[in-house]
Amino acid sequence: MSSISKNKDELELAINSIFAKLMADYRSTPESNVRISGVEGNVKGTLISVSDTLAYLIGWGKLVLKWHRLKSQNQRVDFPETGYKWNQLGLLAESFYAEYCEWQYDDLLIEFETTVNEILLLISSLSNHELYGVAWYKQWTLGRMIQFNTSSPMKNMRTKVRRFNRELT
């Protein structure tokens, strides 16, 4: 299967399969290690914690849901987020880390699972045409925008979290 989903079924499969693997990695990370800054960050040359990787994935997932909610209500969407431009994604990532820095690890895991389930519910409520048949943001379909901000960064984070966990054992 190509890493780029071409339809609703492939998108659901891509999210479900990486989510299950990533959750297993998160659950196998010892609680004592989840706040250690040793995971390669999203900004070149930075190190973040396993908890920060969850904050990042939750943050992007919630943005996807917000974009869809606003657009479906014919409201203006500030892409990627109000106060941030596409060339400021490092700053946006840091805002996610800050937003969730006080959360307990178990609560982050629950929030991540809830967010992914909300995205899967959204996908299941839409037709293949709504997801992949029409441009949704500039040239991108909604399906691609969802993938860019869910399964793709989840794969990326899984690689980094696994490397971090290996280095600490």
Side-chain angles (χ1 to χ4, degrees):
M1 186 175 99
S2 93
S3 61
I4 297 175
S5 305
K6 293 176 195 64
N7 60 47
K8 177 177 174 169
D9 291 342
E10 286 183 12
L11 180 61
E12 289 172 323
L13 182 63
I15 293 171
N16 277 313
S17 64
I18 189 61
F19 175 73
K21 293 172 186 165
L22 184 55
M23 282 303 278
D25 292 326
Y26 279 138
R27 289 200 175 102
S28 70
T29 303
E31 182 94 33
S32 56
N33 293 346
V34 300
R35 298 278 175 197
I36 298 170
S37 293
V39 180
E40 181 190 333
N42 298 85
V43 178
K44 195 171 167 52
T46 63
L47 291 175
I48 61 175
S49 70
V50 171
S51 292
D52 290 334
T53 68
L54 273 162
Y56 180 86
L57 294 171
I58 293 165
W60 278 107
K62 288 193 173 300
L63 278 183
V64 166
L65 294 165
K66 176 184 174 181
W67 297 338
H68 182 266
R69 185 181 70 250
L70 290 173
K71 268 190 91 118
S72 64
Q73 297 165 350
N74 290 316
Q75 294 183 38
R76 201 173 128 256
V77 181
D78 294 324
F79 288 98
E81 173 60 305
T82 305
Y84 297 91
K85 295 184 175 17
W86 286 112
N87 64 355
Q88 297 176 306
L89 296 184
L91 290 171
L92 183 55
E94 287 171 8
S95 78
F96 297 148
Y97 310 151
E99 183 176 349
Y100 294 99
C101 69
E102 302 292 325
W103 286 47
Q104 294 299 313
Y105 189 63
D106 284 344
D107 294 332
L108 286 170
L109 290 173
I110 293 165
E111 188 73 6
F112 178 49
E113 188 162 15
T114 301
T115 303
V116 170
N117 284 334
E118 286 177 28
I119 290 166
L120 289 167
L121 275 173
L122 169 63
I123 293 166
S124 72
S125 76
L126 297 168
S127 68
N128 196 60
H129 180 75
E130 289 170 303
L131 285 163
Y132 286 96
V134 288
W136 189 81
Y137 170 70
K138 298 189 175 175
Q139 77 269 33
W140 306 108
T141 64
L142 177 55
R144 287 295 283 134
M145 289 298 286
I146 292 171
Q147 183 168 17
F148 284 147
N149 297 294
T150 58
S151 61
S152 295
M154 285 158 69
K155 280 183 185 156
N156 186 17
M157 286 303 181
R158 181 170 187 242
T159 302
K160 293 174 178 186
V161 167
R162 288 172 68 85
R163 185 181 311 134
F164 170 77
N165 284 339
R166 269 197 315 274
E167 287 167 1
L168 282 186
T169 51

